[in-house]
Amino acid sequence: MASPTNRVKFLRSSINGSLIVLTIGLWFMQVTKLVPDPYLDEVFHIRQAQAYCAGKWHVWDPKITTPPGL
């Protein structure tokens, strides 16, 4: 049988996880209301995204200064 301390820790971690999920969900809903369409901050990112989706991993636009995945 689990000790009361372990049950309290479990409940706290469950509540914390639920609050995080709720917060992210609310944030996502607000962003979607304000920016309902897909958004790219710079025009040359579109070509880079198209190349990526086409599996052209060797293509890189030198105007993009952030490494992939960041």
Side-chain angles (χ1 to χ4, degrees):
M1 186 173 203
S3 70
T5 304
N6 287 340
R7 279 187 243 156
V8 170
K9 287 180 182 178
F10 174 76
L11 285 173
R12 283 183 183 161
S13 65
S14 296
I15 291 169
N16 287 340
S18 297
L19 289 173
I20 290 170
V21 169
L22 178 65
T23 301
I24 291 171
L26 291 172
W27 173 80
F28 182 77
M29 286 172 43
Q30 289 300 318
V31 169
T32 303
K33 282 181 189 176
L34 294 171
V35 187
D37 298 320
Y39 176 77
L40 291 174
D41 59 345
E42 299 173 60
V43 175
F44 50 79
H45 282 256
I46 295 171
R47 289 188 305 273
Q48 188 63 48
Q50 289 170 336
Y52 177 83
C53 290
K56 298 177 183 176
W57 314 115
H58 62 281
V59 174
W60 184 254
D61 189 328
K63 294 178 185 172
I64 299 174
T65 57
T66 307
L70 294 180

